[in-house]
Amino acid sequence: MPFLVVLLLAQMAVAMVTTAVQQTPTIDEPIYVATAAEYLHEHRLRHNPEHPPLGKLVIATGVALADPHVDASFTGNQSLLGQHLLYESGNDPWRLMLWARLPVIALTLLFGLVVFAFTRELAGPVGGSVALALYALSPDIIAHGSLATLDVPAAGFLLTSVWLLWRARSRPRLFLPLAGAALGAALATKMNTLAAVPVLLALAGVSVWSTSTDRRRDRRRTLLRVVAGAGVVALAALAVVWASYLVVDPRLRWTPEQVPTVHGLRGLLVRLLPFPEAYRDGMRVQFGLENQPWQGFLFGRLYTGSLWYYLPAALLVKTPLGMLALWTAGAVVVLAVRRLRPAAPYLLLPCGVLLAVAMEGARDFGTRYAIFLPMFLAVAAGCAVVVRWRWRWAPVGTGVLLLFVAVSSLRTYPYYLPYSNEAFGGPAETRLRLHDSNVDWGQDLGRLADRLRERYPGERIWLVYKGSGLPSSYGIDAGDPREVPERAVRGLLVVSDSSVAKATGRLAELIDSSRPIDEVGHSITIYRR
């Protein structure tokens, strides 16, 4: 069994490192990397308040090893700060991005061990191996676990907290503070994890209640212990959030810039939270972003606003079919089998609450907002093996579905970001149904540069690129087709697929009057005009 665990994590590591080496910066990464560098060199909270520091401190460990040159005199906004660090400060963007991504890759692998350990406690080593296989083969986790972003770290810390809360059923004094620290790590990485706090505090109470042998005789004392257990978790989480800010700047210097005013219940919530002012201003920024009219794209439809069913539909497209089946089977088994039923609230309740909150969000940008599902439901799916004595076909069915998942995942290598399952045409057709971080997050600019040099040397290039990379830094000399008369656009028209999905007016006319001749990474289309 240890050999299988090592093998699964090794293939995952190879997939993530290969992906990290080949991909240019996605839209969000330069902001996080530049802010991490700023933490290291200025020890001050200035940029990117909408995300707390801990995830960027993880990224900073890699940035410190890369030792980039940082221009402390730069005064632009956070988007320009990232571009300045990567392309205008004498740094090698390939090397810097790889080092920034490696700590997140390491953390993603460690969360795989949490998945295995959690499931092994519930369903034995075979169940743990099934869960780890689903986790290690998940295209979404591989895609986002290989980037210097915050989605996977935040979700992984939440899963770790839930696992420790489950373990607190036997040793609450040891595991409740650890669970609180893991919850604090999630809160100090991404603010959307705040939605899970009431659930996890309730689970802390459940864990304490389950350890109380005298609850029938002394209900008052038991209730006090339940409240105290939840309080320990809350205090530990609070301490970690404050510590993450103090590590950056012990003086907590913070000068807010362009922070929106939040009224009503949201404003009251922000004011009542016992977090640093920078955290609360970050929440105000997040609420301000939620109030903007974002565009979405789903199954060929371009719309403004959000659709409540967007995330379930996107997950249906971007999750391997075998994985969907095993998730469903695992959830049913956890609810149906008596000895597993106590674990159901720990596995399913956080998922349900977080998914419901994410579905209410204003930004229909990708399944990364539900990246917690492949983690939690992998644990549930591993529990499906406990029914093998009742239904003899269950082990065979599980094995077949796992094989299907493995084939589907390996076939998309190394293009994990635009993955979609076979029912929706595979990664080559994801762009027809989804956009943004589901398909095209700016990751293939380097691959585009190689393709243009190899197949189209000397041709005139017109580029509409959606991303944070700087085309000229990768040797791409291109003009913007939207800034010249239509008759002047001759040669190669290169368009990011997210821009194709949202194309209107002039760009739509240019695309319609061109002939597609090539694609790069399933995220960029090359047309001939």
Side-chain angles (χ1 to χ4, degrees), residues 411-466:
R411 284 181 62 191
T412 198
Y413 173 86
Y415 307 113
Y416 291 98
L417 205 60
Y419 172 86
S420 67
N421 61 47
E422 290 75 12
F424 294 94
E429 297 189 14
T430 313
R431 61 186 178 83
L432 303 177
R433 298 170 179 88
L434 299 166
H435 81 316
D436 207 85
S437 62
N438 285 317
V439 181
D440 163 35
W441 215 13
Q443 74 273 13
D444 285 320
L445 190 61
R447 290 188 178 116
L448 173 63
D450 292 339
R451 182 68 54 83
L452 294 175
R453 281 194 299 269
E454 293 168 2
R455 296 189 185 178
Y456 311 100
E459 296 210 35
R460 185 71 173 95
I461 309 297
W462 301 93
L463 176 64
V464 179
Y465 166 68
K466 183 184 185 298

Side-chain angles (χ1 to χ4, degrees), residues 9-357:
L9 291 177
Q11 73 80 28
M12 189 184 197
V14 169
M16 290 193 293
V17 171
T18 303
T19 302
V21 169
Q22 295 183 7
Q23 291 186 158
T24 39
T26 59
I27 289 176
D28 290 352
E29 285 182 289
I31 297 173
Y32 302 147
V33 173
T35 305
E38 191 174 65
Y39 289 169
L40 289 169
H41 289 80
E42 296 188 34
H43 303 288
R44 186 171 180 179
L45 301 160
R46 291 180 57 192
H47 293 98
N48 198 231
E50 60 267 36
H51 295 299
L54 184 60
K56 288 167 285 187
L57 288 171
V58 171
I59 294 169
T61 60
V63 174
L65 292 172
D67 192 24
H69 176 264
V70 177
D71 182 4
S73 64
F74 184 78
T75 58
N77 62 34
Q78 61 187 29
S79 296
L80 295 176
L81 177 68
Q83 189 176 87
H84 185 72
L85 175 69
L86 287 173
Y87 303 112
E88 300 168 2
S89 301
N91 299 310
D92 180 351
W94 289 103
R95 179 176 178 273
L96 177 54
M97 288 307 307
L98 176 59
W99 278 106
R101 289 165 173 169
L102 287 176
V104 180
I105 291 173
L107 201 56
T108 303
L109 294 171
L110 289 175
F111 292 143
L113 293 177
V114 173
V115 168
F116 176 77
F118 196 174
T119 315
R120 184 179 60 181
E121 292 180 17
L122 297 173
V126 175
S129 299
V130 170
L132 179 58
L134 290 176
Y135 176 88
L137 292 167
S138 169
D140 264 353
I141 294 178
I142 292 173
H144 295 283
S146 60
L147 300 175
T149 53
L150 311 177
D151 301 289
V152 169
F157 286 132
L158 270 184
L159 176 68
T160 304
S161 181
V162 170
W163 171 52
L164 292 168
L165 288 174
W166 173 257
R167 303 205 78 189
R169 294 167 63 91
S170 59
R171 299 179 65 185
R173 291 186 180 180
L174 172 62
F175 290 112
L176 285 178
L178 294 176
L183 174 59
L187 298 175
T189 300
K190 285 201 76 174
M191 293 176 182
N192 61 356
T193 56
L194 280 166
V197 170
V199 178
L200 267 64
L201 294 183
L203 291 176
V206 170
S207 294
V208 173
W209 178 270
S210 67
T211 65
S212 301
T213 57
D214 60 344
R215 55 178 177 265
R216 292 185 179 179
R217 292 175 297 176
D218 194 345
R219 289 183 175 272
R220 182 178 179 182
R221 182 180 178 183
T222 300
L223 288 174
L224 286 175
R225 290 185 62 204
V226 166
V227 173
V232 167
V233 171
L235 288 174
L238 188 63
V240 171
V241 173
W242 276 91
S244 69
Y245 280 87
L246 290 169
V247 166
V248 176
D249 182 3
R251 292 184 287 173
L252 291 177
R253 292 168 293 175
W254 169 241
T255 303
E257 295 180 5
Q258 298 179 340
V259 175
T261 302
V262 180
H263 301 285
L265 289 176
R266 286 179 171 181
L268 179 62
L269 171 65
V270 171
R271 289 193 296 273
L272 291 178
L273 284 176
F275 292 145
E277 185 64 24
Y279 194 106
R280 286 182 281 149
D281 275 348
M283 287 193 66
R284 294 183 178 101
V285 173
Q286 288 284 6
F287 285 136
L289 293 172
E290 286 292 300
N291 291 331
Q292 294 185 21
W294 301 99
Q295 280 191 318
F297 181 79
L298 181 64
F299 293 120
R301 175 191 170 192
L302 181 65
Y303 57 91
T304 299
S306 61
L307 302 175
W308 69 267
Y309 55 85
Y310 171 83
L311 270 178
L315 286 163
L316 186 64
V317 174
K318 289 188 63 64
T319 305
L321 296 172
M323 192 173 292
L324 287 171
L326 287 169
W327 286 358
T328 304
V332 170
V333 167
V334 167
L335 290 169
V337 176
R338 179 176 298 178
R339 76 175 183 86
L340 292 175
R341 205 169 293 152
Y346 293 81
L347 293 177
L348 304 182
L349 195 56
C351 286
V353 170
L354 288 169
L355 183 60
V357 172

